[in-house]
Structures are given as structure tokens and as C-alpha cells.
Amino acid sequence: MADAEHHHKESPVESVMDKITEKIRDHDSSSSSSESDDDKKSASSPSMKDKGFRLFGREKPVHKVLGGGKPADVFLWRNKKISAGVLGTATVIWILFELMEYHLLTLVCHCLIVALAMLFLWSNATLFLNKSPPRIPEFHIPEEPVLQVAAALRIEINRAFSILRDIASGRDLKKFLSVIAGLWVLSIVGSWCNFLALFYIAFVLLHTVPVLYEMHEDQVDSFSEKACMQIKKQYAVFDAKVLSKIPRGPLKDKKKV
């Protein structure tokens, strides 16, 4: 009885002490977990990470650089069947027009002749076989995708015109020299092959270079960083020895009336 009475008297005090210790433990655990969460967030935040050098100064993933969506999925082989089908179709077209010297109008006419002949014979054969005629679907080009493609082309063409105008204004000598060198290389490549072969080469590169770069991104970025440093050093030497010695006339500021 004495033990029971003693336990009964001390139980409220013990319960209060237990609650206090539980609160202290909960506070410590919550503070430690919040600190660990903050450490994880700070470590995973892009502002705290060392981004390092990225090819062409990009800040987005390769998928976003290619525009995202289905075209980027095709270029990066997210769906291997679709990407292989697109590349295979382009290869067949290149073989027909380039190697077999097939003409576009001839190919279209031959395809239409075969398709119409097969559908015509099939439709007449069903009358004798007592079967339902083939269901020929109605094909039509929707307006919205055409307008989207036209708007995207208009934006890119206007951007190209703006870049060419900026280069021709003489504000950036480095950009001018790089564009001239690029056009010169492109003209040499164009003299080696016709437009169709050049277009096919560009198409194949779009289906191979981005996915290979995504697979070996760190190695390519490291190598390109070293290459850019060497190019900058060589350009600094060229600027000091050649470009800086070119005489330039005084620039007169035009006063606005």
C-alpha cells in the first residue's frame, strides 16, 4: 500500500518531467532535421552549385536548348523507334534522290499511281467478293500547326536579319570575323556537295551530336573549356600584333537636335 501511495503521489511529477523531456527531444530532432533539410536544399540549389564551364555558355539542359517537346525527344532518342524511323526515312529519301538520281516530281507521280491503282482494284474486287469496300480516310492539313510553323520561321528569320544588321553595323569585330569565317567554311563545304547532301548531313548530325554530347557532357565541356582558353590567348596575340595596329579614324558623336 505504501508503495502504491508513493507511486500515486510521484506519478504527476514524473509525467510532467516526461513531457518536458519529450518536448526537448522533439525540438532537438526538429532543429537537426531542419538543418539537414536546409543543407540539402543549399547543396541542391543551382546558386550554390559550381556550374563550371558549359559549351556555348548554355545554362539549360540539352533538351531545353533543343526547344523541348517532341522534336527534342526525337533528336535525343528518347523514343528509339520514332528516332530510328525518322532517320531511316531521311536516309531512304537521300538514297533515292542522291544515289539513284530520282526526281521529286517523278517519285510523287509514281507513288500516287501505285496508291490509286491499289485502292481502285481493291474497291472493285470487294463487289465480286461480297465484302465491305475499303474505308479511305479524309486527309486535311490543320490550320493551327501550319500557322505555328510559319510564326516560328518568321521569328527565326527576323532574328537572323537582326544579327546580320548588328554585325554589319561594325560594333563587334570579333563577331564579324567569326561570322565571316563560318560563312567561308560553309561555302567550301557547299562546293563539295549539293544542297540535298548538305541537308542530309545536317539532319544526321542533329540526330547524333546532341545525344552523344548529352552522354559525355562533362568530358566535352572540360575539353571545350581548354580549347576556348587557347583560342582566347591566340586572339589576344592577334589583336595585339595586328588588329591594334590598324589605323582607325576619329569617331564623331552625332548630336541629337
Side-chain angles (χ1 to χ4, degrees), residues 165-186:
R165 181 178 178 275
D166 189 25
I167 293 171
S169 62
R171 298 174 183 175
D172 194 345
L173 180 61
K174 185 178 180 180
K175 186 184 292 185
F176 169 75
L177 293 176
S178 61
V179 170
I180 294 298
L183 292 175
W184 180 66
V185 172
L186 188 61

Side-chain angles (χ1 to χ4, degrees), residues 14 27 45-46 49 53 68 78 85 91 93 97 99-100 104 114 117 135 137 147 181 194 209 226 235 257:
E14 290 177 355
H27 178 71
S45 62
K49 282 185 177 181
F53 182 84
R78 295 289 190 264
T91 304
I93 293 173
F97 291 114
L99 299 181
M100 300 180 64
L104 178 62
V114 173
R135 295 180 180 179
L147 294 178
N194 55 15
V209 174
K226 296 177 182 179
Y235 178 78
V257 180

Side-chain angles (χ1 to χ4, degrees), residues 10-24:
E10 291 182 354
S11 59
V13 178
E14 290 177 355
S15 62
V16 172
M17 293 299 294
D18 291 335
K19 290 182 180 179
I20 293 173
T21 54
E22 286 177 359
K23 287 184 179 180
I24 293 172

Side-chain angles (χ1 to χ4, degrees), residues 11-154:
S11 59
V13 178
E14 290 177 355
S15 62
V16 172
M17 293 299 294
D18 291 335
K19 290 182 180 179
I20 293 173
T21 54
E22 286 177 359
K23 287 184 179 180
I24 293 172
R25 289 175 182 176
D26 292 336
H27 178 71
D28 293 336
S29 61
S30 62
S31 62
S32 61
S33 61
S34 63
E35 288 176 358
S36 61
D37 292 335
D38 292 336
D39 293 338
K40 291 180 180 179
K41 290 180 181 179
S42 62
S44 61
S45 62
S47 60
M48 296 297 292
K49 282 185 177 181
D50 187 10
K51 294 182 179 180
F53 182 84
R54 287 291 178 263
L55 192 61
F56 302 117
R58 64 177 183 85
E59 297 180 355
K60 299 179 181 179
V62 181
H63 191 271
K64 293 293 183 181
V65 173
L66 293 175
K70 294 182 179 180
D73 292 340
V74 173
F75 292 143
L76 295 176
W77 293 75
R78 295 289 190 264
N79 192 331
K80 295 182 179 180
K81 292 182 179 180
I82 296 176
S83 300
V86 172
L87 187 59
T89 303
T91 304
V92 171
I93 293 173
W94 178 75
I95 292 173
L96 287 174
F97 291 114
E98 185 67 19
L99 299 181
M100 300 180 64
E101 296 183 355
Y102 222 68
H103 297 284
L104 178 62
L105 184 59
T106 306
L107 178 63
V108 172
C109 292
H110 287 177
C111 291
L112 288 176
I113 289 171
V114 173
L116 290 175
M118 290 178 63
L119 291 174
F120 181 80
L121 294 175
W122 188 9
S123 299
N124 287 288
T126 53
L127 298 176
F128 299 98
L129 299 175
N130 294 325
K131 292 184 177 181
S132 60
R135 295 180 180 179
I136 303 174
E138 295 182 358
F139 294 97
H140 64 279
I141 300 175
E143 182 180 0
E144 185 176 357
V146 175
L147 294 178
Q148 290 178 355
V149 171
L153 288 175
R154 182 183 63 84

